[in-house]
Amino acid sequence: MSTQSIRPALITRVLPDSIAEEIGFEPGDRLVSINGQQPRDLIDYRFLSADEELALEVLDAQGKTHRIEIEKDIDDDLGLEFDTALFDGLIQCNNRCPFCFIDQQPPGKRQTLYLKDDDYRLSFLYGSYLTLTNLLPAEWERIAQLRLSPLYVSVHATEPAVRERLLKNSRAGQILSQLEWFQQQRLQIHAQVVVCPGINDDEHLETTLRDLAQFHAGEVPAVASAAVVPVGLTRFRPEEDELVPVTPAKAQEVIAQVQQLQAEFQAQLGSTFVWLADEWFLIAGVDLPPESHYEDYPQIGNGVGSIRQFLLQLEAAAEDLPDQVTPPRTLTWVVGNAVEKAFQPILQRLNAVEGLTVRLAAISSNYWGQDISVTGLLTGQDLLGSLSGQPLGDAILLPSVMLKQGDSGRPEDMLFLDDLSLAEVSQRLGCPIYPVDDVDALILACQDIEPLDSSRQLQPAAGYWTPT
């Protein structure tokens, strides 16, 4: 890719007490080059700035060029954050997978919801999945040169005809030779298989997992792990997509099939190697595996063991819960109904605190047309449809996984997947909403939220609508 298509990197934050702050960098400045080279992405930036002597070219917010020379320790970070990890644009996906969530959305929402990425850099930096079908030779060379490992790859099937059918791409059948390339380069991937009943399940699933397991060998296994995920469907998907939803009976069948392979792989490879996403157990209505099953949680980003890990984290964090909170308060904790059963131990522990009442609102997504819904896909309309007119108590606790930063950057303008803002939903429900990022935030919110009374009114505030 030519440097003409690389935009100077927009700086959005300068970390306190950093080299960049000392020099005088400010948000709105743009980094043009480091030692004469334009970084095309965050990977280049990190690589180029890992030097003792740097010559930086910078554009300030007024468009004036500055040239700065600095000396630092080789491992010292400059302390800059950017508006995007990709300064030369996104490598987009040209596959037409029928189960792609991007194609299962209604039209007319914010543009970023419709961007299909298939970018190896986002895979390396953030663990997003790519198919490998959109890589040019130069990108393969860069992966090898910079040792970008591990990457996260959507395999779905190793049989060429099945994978080509799923991805609607004639290049999709090259996956086994691509895995051999990773093996030769001593680089790793984590694989995922989205199971579409009637297409890549049954004997096709077994073939895929056995093929992947062949690459889990040697000091640096080319395939470090594999995750099996149920296809997720919405009411907006194309009618001709050939897909059928995963039923409880199908979930039980896949669990049994994969667990048999897990036992075999454990004996042969010394690792379970392939893991089932938590959703299989939730759909099937059976208990999740114990903590010991997940080894070092290699597929946590795919929802493999995330509920078990959450329960363990809460057990540890709950030690900081007081015996009593004063004054008493009632909170509504919103989650997807898929986790309703699994989260009962958490609910019981919170309600054991005297003066604290936490009601679990486990809701499904009518917006997406799903009877069983994961928390991250719930929308503002789902909350309004399920919670309007209900007694919500003093505040709503909302997992922040449901939200995305809006264009304004203001916390109250964070958006749900249906483009409703946090502030709008809070106002329409007449109840303050507190986004919680993790277990620690959940525990703190239960202690810190003060009850509403008649003298306090809802006013917009940073992050949520809160009483003043």
Side-chain angles (χ1 to χ4, degrees), residues 36-47:
Q37 296 187 55
Q38 274 191 274
R40 57 181 288 194
D41 48 40
L42 194 58
I43 297 171
D44 270 357
Y45 163 75
R46 291 176 178 175
F47 180 79

Side-chain angles (χ1 to χ4, degrees), residues 31-349:
L31 178 63
V32 177
S33 66
I34 302 174
N35 290 341
Q37 296 187 55
Q38 274 191 274
R40 57 181 288 194
D41 48 40
L42 194 58
I43 297 171
D44 270 357
Y45 163 75
R46 291 176 178 175
F47 180 79
L48 293 171
S49 61
D51 206 341
E52 294 179 337
E53 297 182 359
L54 302 180
L56 309 179
E57 182 179 346
V58 182
L59 283 174
D60 64 24
Q62 287 71 44
K64 182 180 179 181
T65 298
H66 302 264
R67 291 176 173 81
I68 305 163
E69 295 185 359
I70 63 173
E71 294 184 4
K72 66 177 185 64
D73 290 338
I74 195 167
D75 293 329
D76 283 350
D77 182 60
L78 292 178
L80 297 175
E81 293 184 0
F82 305 95
D83 70 326
T84 176
L86 309 176
F87 312 148
D88 60 356
L90 181 73
I91 298 176
Q92 297 201 43
C93 183
N94 64 2
N95 301 309
R96 292 176 290 114
C97 307
F99 51 84
C100 178
F101 184 76
I102 304 299
D103 293 334
Q104 294 191 62
Q105 300 181 93
K109 303 302 178 182
R110 61 187 184 274
Q111 191 59 38
T112 53
L113 290 176
Y114 305 105
L115 289 177
K116 286 187 181 182
D117 83 82
D118 202 26
D119 203 306
Y120 68 98
R121 299 167 298 177
L122 297 181
S123 184
F124 173 71
L125 290 167
Y126 306 121
S128 61
Y129 278 82
L130 77 160
T131 65
L132 302 176
T133 62
N134 294 287
L135 288 180
L136 297 174
E139 309 298 353
W140 285 100
E141 292 174 11
R142 188 173 186 235
I143 291 170
Q145 179 185 13
L146 297 182
R147 312 298 297 166
L148 302 183
S149 177
L151 298 183
Y152 295 78
V153 177
S154 292
V155 173
H156 307 320
T158 53
E159 296 167 276
V162 178
R163 194 167 194 255
E164 289 171 13
R165 177 185 176 187
L166 282 168
L167 273 61
K168 303 291 192 297
N169 189 326
S170 59
R171 294 191 298 276
Q174 302 171 10
I175 185 64
L176 287 176
S177 62
Q178 291 168 338
L179 294 180
E180 289 173 0
W181 181 90
F182 279 94
Q183 190 173 55
Q184 293 164 3
Q185 298 294 329
R186 293 175 61 82
L187 299 174
Q188 288 188 308
I189 74 157
H190 292 279
Q192 77 165 353
V193 177
V194 174
V195 173
C196 301
I199 301 178
N200 65 337
D201 56 345
D202 299 331
E203 69 274 11
H204 301 299
L205 178 59
E206 180 169 352
T207 296
T208 295
L209 297 181
R210 289 192 183 278
D211 284 345
L212 292 174
Q214 295 298 314
F215 291 93
H216 189 78
E219 185 179 343
V220 183
V223 181
S225 70
V228 179
V229 182
V231 65
L233 305 178
T234 82
R235 64 185 176 92
F236 302 108
R237 73 182 194 273
E239 294 181 1
E240 66 279 5
D241 62 12
E242 308 178 271
L243 301 179
V244 296
V246 174
T247 63
K250 185 63 182 180
Q252 293 170 8
E253 175 188 316
V254 171
I255 290 171
Q257 180 184 13
V258 173
Q259 285 181 338
Q260 183 175 344
L261 289 170
Q262 287 175 332
E264 182 180 324
F265 293 150
Q266 183 66 50
Q268 292 178 353
L269 307 174
S271 169
T272 299
F273 175 66
V274 56
W275 280 271
L276 291 153
D278 294 351
E279 289 175 68
W280 291 108
F281 302 96
L282 302 176
I283 295 171
V286 299
D287 292 337
L288 293 161
E291 176 193 4
S292 58
H293 168 74
Y294 295 105
E295 298 178 17
D296 60 351
Y297 292 90
Q299 288 276 357
I300 191 71
N302 240 331
V304 176
S306 56
I307 294 177
R308 181 62 63 196
Q309 189 178 78
F310 191 87
L311 292 170
L312 291 169
Q313 291 171 346
L314 181 111
E315 185 178 340
E319 295 179 3
D320 296 329
L321 278 171
D323 295 330
Q324 179 180 6
V325 292
T326 305
R329 73 285 314 266
T330 297
L331 308 174
T332 297
W333 180 22
V334 176
V335 297
N337 65 346
V339 298
E340 181 174 13
K341 177 182 176 183
F343 277 14
Q344 290 306 309
I346 301 177
L347 195 65
Q348 293 171 12
R349 179 64 185 88

